[in-house]
Amino acid sequence: MASARLRWLSAALVALGALCLLLSMHGLPLLPGEPLGFRKEGRFLQLPALDCRRDPPFLVLLVASAHDQLPARTAIRETWGGQRAARGRRTETLFLLGTSPSPAAARAVAREARRHRDIVQKDFVDAYLNLTLKTMMGIEWVHRFCPRAAFVMKTDSDMFVNVAYLVELLLRRNRTARFATGFLKLHELPIRERRNKWFVSRREYPWDRYPPFCSGTAYVLSGDVASQVYRVADRVPFLKLEDVFVGLCLAKLRIGLEELHSEQTFFPGGLSFSPCRFRRIVACHFVPPHKMLSYWKALEASPGEACPAE
């Protein structure tokens, strides 16, 4: 009996050791309270036809999108994302996508990628919980294929971006290194209510306060910071909240956030439209495709219109 128990204990220890080795190889926590780490993995399925070596862009705009958001991508291509230059500086807009379990959706995205050559895609499931993977995919693309871009903006497909004004403000600031800006969130607390969309457990994030971060609706990093964020990403706790995750990376790098302008220019909560108002904003949330087109046409039709604040 004692011999059988000893053999059972020995086998259990071997199995436990093998499990620990397997978990450590895959970057998973060995202790119940240890946060998960970010893993740099996955292969690119689609890459844009963009050569950054000879003429690196001043600004790369990375738009997080989803398979069913073709109308939004089309509207962006026909408006602010269709710009290739602003204030004499080159700009490029790319769309970030994961994969879909639907073969028809996968084929449609492949056709779209061949036609427009502006999609970056990796082999992870395209879902809200994978938004950090999607954002980091875009930052990885910049780091690997376009490291000389002066600035990188991450934004969403329901955002109106005034690219010309953004470039103007970036030129005014004249900061091309260790720069991060957007709508600053400086005193945010983790939400522990399980039914909330932004719930984060203590296992995922055991601390009581987030570091400063920018709203994920739109933020800008200088090119060097984008590369540094990618390099440091596997040394901070992984979070599904991509804006907080990038904030954790910036905190690890000791890079502070800065306002782009003395007046508010990023509007994550949305903003009512007028040509005068939108001429002096950088990004506005909750803009559906049909409004994006009408806003753009109104701005294009009134470039010299006198505004009360001017």
Side-chain angles (χ1 to χ4, degrees), residues 31-50:
L31 299 175
E34 183 182 345
L36 291 164
F38 175 72
R39 292 182 291 171
K40 298 174 181 176
E41 60 181 25
R43 61 189 180 93
F44 285 100
L45 302 177
Q46 304 289 346
L47 289 170
L50 180 57

Side-chain angles (χ1 to χ4, degrees), residues 4-310:
R5 287 180 179 175
L6 187 59
R7 286 196 302 272
W8 181 88
L9 180 60
S10 176
L13 289 173
V14 169
L16 180 61
L19 177 60
C20 289
L21 177 61
L22 179 64
L23 291 175
S24 65
M25 287 173 61
H26 287 271
L28 296 175
L30 301 182
L31 299 175
E34 183 182 345
L36 291 164
F38 175 72
R39 292 182 291 171
K40 298 174 181 176
E41 60 181 25
R43 61 189 180 93
F44 285 100
L45 302 177
Q46 304 289 346
L47 289 170
L50 180 57
D51 186 356
C52 289
R53 292 170 295 180
R54 296 182 182 178
D55 181 23
F58 178 80
L59 172 65
V60 175
L61 299 108
L62 302 173
V63 183
S65 190
H67 285 246
D68 61 354
Q69 293 175 348
L70 176 58
R73 291 193 293 278
T74 300
I76 291 172
R77 290 181 181 117
E78 294 177 359
T79 58
W80 56 266
Q83 293 181 273
R84 291 293 179 266
R87 308 295 190 231
R89 300 300 195 276
R90 181 183 169 200
T91 65
E92 297 286 351
T93 300
L94 304 176
F95 297 96
L96 309 178
L97 289 168
T99 60
S100 169
S102 164
R107 289 193 296 269
V109 165
R111 289 194 298 268
E112 184 184 350
R114 287 194 297 270
R115 178 181 179 186
H116 295 284
R117 307 301 298 274
D118 60 1
I119 288 177
V120 183
Q121 184 184 36
K122 264 191 170 185
D123 59 348
F124 58 85
V125 176
D126 200 314
Y128 177 76
L129 294 180
N130 283 336
L131 187 53
T132 297
L133 298 182
K134 186 178 291 184
T135 298
M136 293 306 299
M137 171 186 69
I139 290 177
E140 179 186 358
W141 181 87
V142 172
H143 170 73
R144 290 179 55 185
F145 300 104
C146 205
R148 292 172 58 203
F151 294 96
V152 179
M153 169 183 261
K154 182 270 165 182
T155 189
D156 293 331
S157 57
D158 59 351
M159 297 292 292
F160 187 97
V161 179
N162 186 335
V163 178
Y165 192 51
L166 171 57
V167 170
E168 178 184 325
L169 293 180
L170 290 172
L171 290 171
R172 278 193 214 168
R173 286 299 302 264
N174 195 28
R175 284 281 307 280
T176 57
R178 293 184 68 81
F179 184 68
T181 190
F183 183 85
L184 276 52
K185 300 173 83 69
L186 304 178
H187 306 289
E188 299 295 310
L189 306 178
I191 295 174
R192 305 299 189 188
E193 172 54 53
R194 288 187 175 275
R195 288 174 292 183
N196 193 289
K197 179 181 180 180
W198 297 287
F199 163 74
V200 172
S201 70
R202 288 197 174 273
R203 179 170 181 256
E204 294 172 286
Y205 189 83
W207 302 280
D208 293 326
R209 184 178 296 274
Y210 288 137
F213 65 95
C214 294
S215 166
T217 53
Y219 53 85
V220 180
L221 309 174
S222 55
D224 64 314
V225 170
S227 283
Q228 290 175 53
V229 165
Y230 176 71
R231 287 195 293 264
V232 82
D234 56 0
R235 286 183 276 151
V236 303
F238 177 82
L239 284 181
K240 59 181 176 286
L241 308 179
E242 57 93 12
D243 46 8
V244 179
F245 179 79
V246 171
L248 286 167
C249 293
L250 295 175
K252 184 79 171 178
L253 296 164
R254 298 187 179 181
I255 294 174
L257 304 178
E258 302 181 39
E259 294 284 5
L260 182 59
H261 194 280
S262 58
E263 298 177 0
Q264 184 178 349
T265 56
F266 293 84
F267 292 87
L271 187 68
S272 59
F273 176 80
S274 77
C276 286
R277 183 176 291 125
F278 269 57
R279 233 180 269 158
R280 289 293 178 265
I281 71 163
V282 167
C284 179
H285 197 196
F286 302 122
V287 181
H290 69 282
K291 288 189 176 181
M292 201 170 295
L293 291 165
S294 65
Y295 292 178
W296 180 259
K297 289 176 182 177
L299 287 170
E300 291 287 285
S302 58
E305 178 183 321
C307 295
E310 297 180 343

